[in-house]
Amino acid sequence: MKYKINYSKKGSEEVIDKLCSYIEKWKIRKQRSARSVASSRTVTRRPQNINRVDSVTRRQTVYSSPRVAQSRNKTSNTAPRTVRKNAEKQVKKICVSTVLAHIGISVLSFLLGLVILIVVAVNLLIYGPSESARDRFVLTVTETSAAGFLATWFMDDDIVNSIIENNAVVDGGGETDPTLIQLPGNENESNGGDSDEEVDMNSVQLINIEGKTYKGKLLIVRNPKRVYIGTPAAYGSDREGVTTIDMVRNDNALYGVNGGGFYDTGKGNGGIPTGRENSDGIVISKGKLMYGNKNSQYEVIGINKQGILVLGKMTAQEALDRGIVEALNFGPFLVMNGKACEVGGFTEAGLNPRTAIGQRADGAMLILTIDGRQPSSMGATYEDLIEIMMNYGAVNAANLDGGSSTYMAQNSETENNPQIITQCASLYGPRKMATSILVSRVDQINTQYEQNN
């Protein structure tokens, strides 16, 4: 746009001053826009282009007014630093995102490969040529609360149930005969038995047990009255159980292993006692019924007031009437009246961590734990438990809750500081239990035996 200026007109000097100021402002705006464009181009390029932007900035400041040029010189010194920092930040962000992307892809690839490997292995076991391998796999995973779905995912429920039934332990029914147990000091003890002087009733022996697929520990408690059932303070859906090692600590007991089952929908908190497969539970402690229905029948594993292990199916009231002062329910029974229970099928159940309790003819209690799901100990079958119990003279024996609940805790002879001495298969540590089998110290034998004798 052209302006025609009449210098003779009044006020022409003011117009010239205004035009000059407009021109000066227009130059400043143009330089700012050029500098912003140069800065954006420099950020997208490599850092070495900063010198080029700096030279352009210097050329632009030549045409500025002295005041503007002075401000440009100050800005030109800080602009390259800002641009360089921005560029370095973007490079770092790109590097970090690239590394994280590579890690994520590697993890996903590993998980995908692991899933494919598991699926292929399970299909080979289930649909492969060996039916015994298939049955062993089904029995192993169905005895766990976490991996039981692997069997039903790939097979019909009817087939899975058929495999379990065909490989179950058959106890033959009936109950144990208490007269087969001859405690030291009994009047009807056979002449071949040990005399009171020859028997150390305070002895407790810990033995390492080892087989083809398992390792474990066997505890032989000479005085059966030292064995009792540990419990939490109370039961219910709003209550929680107590870990076996904490039961040992709370009672200042000498040894402890896990006992019966508890309602478990995943992790489980031990608040509700159960039998096998979450059947109704019973707990008798110190001669009192702590949990269960007096008229309901249970698979009872109990100890009577003489210290004799009693196995059989009975109601809670029948158990109390027969003088049972300590009881829980689980199974299956392994040895009954000196005879090994029959294991159906050919697979001898699955390989898992296991716990069992038995009693010899002289009254000594046998408490067994078998490690499992470990590289050095895959676990034991029911047949393995029966063999161990029979080898160590068990007249009666029963299986207790196993799997992730299995471990043995040992306390110090002089201090109350229990430690786990076997391998706990649980991924998140000792589980909260509804019941445990405890061994008292010599001076802490439960008083219910003396009161009921």
Side-chain angles (χ1 to χ4, degrees), residues 277-305:
E277 299 176 358
N278 282 334
S279 60
D280 292 338
I282 179 178
V283 177
I284 298 176
S285 177
K286 297 179 175 59
K288 296 181 180 180
L289 181 64
M290 292 189 62
Y291 192 86
N293 191 317
K294 288 187 175 182
N295 299 321
S296 298
Q297 190 178 65
Y298 303 95
E299 202 171 15
V300 173
I301 303 172
I303 304 173
N304 67 15
K305 58 186 178 180

Side-chain angles (χ1 to χ4, degrees), residues 225-364:
K225 293 182 180 181
R226 295 180 65 177
V227 179
Y228 67 102
I229 295 177
T231 66
Y235 295 109
S237 58
D238 58 340
R239 301 281 184 165
E240 288 189 351
V242 180
T243 63
T244 296
I245 189 170
D246 283 338
M247 289 188 189
V248 172
R249 182 180 293 105
N250 294 342
D251 282 21
N252 193 21
L254 193 59
Y255 287 93
V257 299
N258 54 292
F262 53 91
Y263 185 69
D264 184 10
T265 58
K267 187 174 180 180
N269 66 353
I272 302 178
T274 67
R276 288 191 285 170
E277 299 176 358
N278 282 334
S279 60
D280 292 338
I282 179 178
V283 177
I284 298 176
S285 177
K286 297 179 175 59
K288 296 181 180 180
L289 181 64
M290 292 189 62
Y291 192 86
N293 191 317
K294 288 187 175 182
N295 299 321
S296 298
Q297 190 178 65
Y298 303 95
E299 202 171 15
V300 173
I301 303 172
I303 304 173
N304 67 15
K305 58 186 178 180
Q306 286 82 29
I308 296 176
L309 183 67
V310 179
L311 309 178
K313 294 181 180 179
M314 63 190 79
T315 65
Q317 187 60 56
E318 290 173 340
L320 293 172
D321 293 341
R322 295 177 190 183
I324 292 178
V325 292
E326 303 285 335
L328 52 81
N329 63 312
F330 210 75
F333 301 148
L334 304 172
V335 182
M336 294 280 287
N337 299 322
K339 295 182 180 180
C341 297
E342 180 184 355
V343 180
F346 299 97
T347 61
E348 305 166 356
L351 295 173
N352 275 302
R354 299 193 184 277
T355 307
I357 185 171
Q359 188 173 36
R360 296 190 319 204
D362 62 358

